[in-house]
Amino acid sequence: MQTFIELKQLTKWFGSPNSGGIKAVDSISFKVETGEVLGFLGPNGAGKSTTMKMVTGFLAPTSGSATVCGHDVQAEPLAVKKRIGYLPEGAPAYMDMTPEAFLEFCAQVRGLKGEAKKQAIKKAVDRTHIGGVLRQPVETLSKGFKRRVGLAQAILHEPDVLIMDEPTDGLDPNQKHEVRLLIREMAKAHAEGKGGRAVVLSTHILEEVEAVCSRVVLIARGRIVADCTPAEFMSKSRYHNAVTLALIPPPGVMIFEELKRIPSVESVEDNGTNKTADGTQVRCTVIARHGKAIAHEVSHLVKAKGWQVDMMRVEAGRLDDVFRELTTSSR
Amino acid sequence: MHGLGPVFRRELAGYFVTPVAYVFIVIFLILTGIFTFELGNFFERNQSDLRAFFDFHPWLYLFLIPAVSMRLWAEERKTGTLELLMTLPVSRAAAVAGKFLAAWAFTGVALVLTFPVWITVNYLGRPDNGAIFFGYIGSLLMAGGFLAIGACISACTKSQVIAFILTVVVCFLFLLAGFSPVTNFLQGWAPPIIVDTIQSFSFLTRFDSIAKGVIDARDMVFFASLIVVCLFINGVVLESKKS
Ligand SMILES: Nc1ncnc2c1ncn2[C@@H]1O[C@H](COP(=O)(O)OP(=O)(O)OP(=O)(O)O)[C@@H](O)[C@H]1O
Ligand SMILES: [Mg+2]
């Protein structure tokens, strides 16, 4: 395992601490290792972008340190910047340039030359599907295409560390899918003699975390409130191991009461009813006490009672629920 | 100086993909023409030199150079590309120097395109072409001084308008420092050492002697060091004021 990024007590103040300044980032420490895709979550203003700006060397931390591939960001900025591919928030690009000229510029700055440069640009263009707009000034591109140009710039040189601030913001569903594939591919790329890489991305789209991330770091008001795998993250949900049912009970049966009688059931949430040809379908979510596995007991009860089940699903947990819980409780 | 070449090329190409370059060059040429031939009495003076041409350069630059320099950093700040540029493997010195050199090369192009004036004077008489050459060098150096001041001010703000106005004001002060009414006014009460110091910062006095064909290394060194100092401050401003 190689450590690609290491943050130690990273702190950033905007303004002075004693006169109304803002502590945007508050003693954040974590490590990112080979092959990890770290999803950086947090409410608006939590300090995600600020942290990324410090890791990429744009902002200097007030205290603490960031190390990328063994190089301290403050002491050896150039060595760090060579290894990072960075998509800043809002994907800025030079408006009066064409994507072609822009990528050419980035490739030159990255020290790519001749055939290698051509290949790198071609690969990045293909991966982000911007081949059709290469000659069109960036300012006339749609928002999604602007972001793709920014992405192309970030992956151009096959960086060891890929840092992306809201990479899928403004992309259509197809492109979101493409970008997620791209991120996964980038993360596991052991090919071409490369020793793999680390990816950090911030996002507000929680399904994305499930889809691509191997780890979640959740921050609120500049502090880390959770650092775990997406599965662990979801297991913190009150919906973890809950069972969602759609069934048609015989008339007069209080199914909620029956379900609540199972010892490890916490409560039953009513999701409404639905008129079908066979009768009135009742939908509900049976919530497990302390996230215990209750699927077996629920199915047992349903079978024993002979209720007609139209649908039964075990929930892994709801990310937005955990997100809300963790970022609003600890005031 | 990692990344100097690409930054320089990108910036220089940037002038020519937008109408900025063409508008600037055309206005520059028209104004030099008007100033030289109409206001400067080029023909009536009946002398084969380019004094009438060079004399107006400081005043022309006063408004045209800030129009070039205002966008250097302010635009990058405004559009967020500063974050991109500063996180690419480009050293700060290279970014500052690359942008400045491209702007300088661009004004150099505009200056070279005034060659018809030089052809005219050679057609009409036998001018001292050595003196004219140094006049051009002096003019280019002075343009560099204006540009470096403008770049430095542009790095301080997001607003191109503010950058433009502040640059005009600061450059105006540098020009005025040697303007005779100001010097006379100062001589009335200030001690000579102060008057001399202020005067030594004057673009007008320095440029005047170069334009006359008087080559004084001190004038060259003045402009060169002004450029270096301004660019150094430019770098410091960038480092300290990033967002
Ligand atoms: N240049 C700045 N000057 C002063 N305060 C700033 C500056 N940049 C950010 N902040 C403050 O720092 C805090 C964190 O901002 P940051 O942009 O890192 O949030 P974020 O987590 O990226 O939010 P979002 O999800 O909205 O992008 C906010 O309170 C913000 O107002
Ligand atoms: Mg942000």
Side-chain angles (χ1 to χ4, degrees), chain B residues 75-87:
Chain B
E75 195 180 29
E76 298 242 8
R77 259 191 212 292
K78 184 107 194 166
T79 59
T81 45
L82 188 64
E83 183 170 353
L84 187 77
L85 184 64
M86 298 314 246
T87 50

Side-chain angles (χ1 to χ4, degrees), chain A residues 73-331:
Chain A
V73 177
Q74 289 306 300
E76 302 168 86
L78 226 48
V80 167
K81 287 169 190 178
K82 278 182 188 166
R83 285 169 176 79
I84 290 184
Y86 177 40
L87 174 70
E89 191 168 33
Y94 290 104
M95 289 297 159
D96 49 12
M97 293 179 105
T98 62
E100 191 176 38
F102 178 60
L103 292 178
E104 171 79 25
F105 165 68
C106 295
Q108 285 176 3
V109 168
R110 298 282 184 191
L112 292 165
K113 288 197 183 67
E115 196 56 29
K117 181 175 72 182
K118 248 201 232 150
Q119 287 303 321
I121 293 178
K122 186 173 177 307
K123 197 165 176 195
V125 166
D126 289 346
R127 279 169 152 181
T128 52
H129 306 274
I130 52 172
V133 298
L134 281 182
R135 301 269 160 82
Q136 197 181 331
V138 172
E139 65 189 334
T140 67
L141 295 181
S142 73
K143 177 173 154 189
F145 272 95
K146 272 182 201 155
R147 190 151 305 248
R148 294 192 219 172
V149 171
L151 272 171
Q153 166 274 125
I155 60 172
L156 187 64
H157 53 296
E158 301 273 338
D160 291 342
V161 172
L162 185 57
I163 298 183
M164 296 178 285
D165 204 344
E166 303 190 19
T168 54
D169 181 36
L171 295 183
D172 65 44
N174 298 341
Q175 266 303 311
K176 270 188 195 143
H177 180 69
E178 291 285 338
V179 168
R180 287 171 195 170
L181 289 183
L182 176 71
I183 292 168
R184 262 191 242 141
E185 182 197 333
M186 295 290 288
K188 64 168 189 260
H190 287 280
E192 298 150 48
K194 289 217 163 211
R197 55 169 66 89
V199 179
V200 175
L201 61 100
S202 80
T203 181
H204 289 300
I205 306 168
L206 296 174
E207 309 91 78
E208 197 153 288
V209 176
E210 274 185 274
V212 298
C213 297
S214 62
R215 184 166 153 212
V216 177
V217 170
L218 175 66
I219 63 171
R221 291 174 298 280
R223 286 184 154 278
I224 294 185
V225 292
D227 180 351
C228 52
T229 64
E232 285 165 352
F233 190 77
M234 277 195 282
S235 71
K236 294 182 205 284
S237 167
R238 58 192 288 266
Y239 291 102
H240 182 57
N241 277 339
V243 177
T244 298
L245 289 169
L247 41 78
I248 302 176
V253 178
M254 306 292 284
I255 59 158
F256 291 179
E257 298 308 319
E258 301 269 4
L259 285 167
K260 272 185 214 159
R261 237 171 263 144
I262 300 172
S264 40
V265 167
E266 169 89 31
S267 61
V268 180
E269 261 177 27
D270 187 354
N271 296 346
T273 56
N274 201 8
K275 288 256 183 293
T276 66
D278 297 349
T280 306
Q281 184 191 57
V282 177
R283 284 175 299 168
C284 61
T285 301
V286 186
I287 294 170
R289 183 163 289 151
H290 310 305
K292 274 195 195 137
I294 55 165
H296 186 72
E297 283 145 293
V298 171
S299 68
H300 198 76
L301 176 79
V302 168
K303 219 178 277 165
K305 300 275 176 188
W307 297 336
Q308 179 191 334
V309 181
D310 291 344
M311 187 270 285
M312 179 168 167
R313 184 181 69 223
V314 180
E315 306 263 349
R318 293 184 192 167
L319 287 169
D320 54 354
D321 188 55
V322 184
F323 182 93
R324 228 178 0 254
E325 174 114 342
L326 291 177
T327 54
T328 52
S329 61
S330 58
R331 270 276 157 199

Side-chain angles (χ1 to χ4, degrees), chain B residues 50-67:
Chain B
L50 286 183
R51 290 307 310 274
F53 170 66
F54 286 126
D55 274 352
F56 287 104
H57 279 195
W59 304 103
L60 210 52
Y61 288 160
L62 178 60
F63 291 99
L64 289 182
I65 297 280

Side-chain angles (χ1 to χ4, degrees), chain B residues 108-164:
Chain B
V109 169
L111 199 55
V112 167
L113 289 177
T114 60
F115 70 91
V117 178
W118 173 72
I119 292 178
T120 310
V121 76
N122 269 279
Y123 177 74
L124 294 174
R126 296 252 152 277
D128 176 354
N129 278 323
I132 291 178
F133 176 74
F134 280 105
Y136 268 106
I137 295 287
S139 180
L140 191 59
L141 272 173
M142 183 171 61
F146 277 110
L147 271 177
I149 292 172
C152 188
I153 292 173
S154 177
C156 301
T157 172
K158 260 188 182 149
S159 156
Q160 299 195 28
V161 176
I162 292 178
F164 177 83

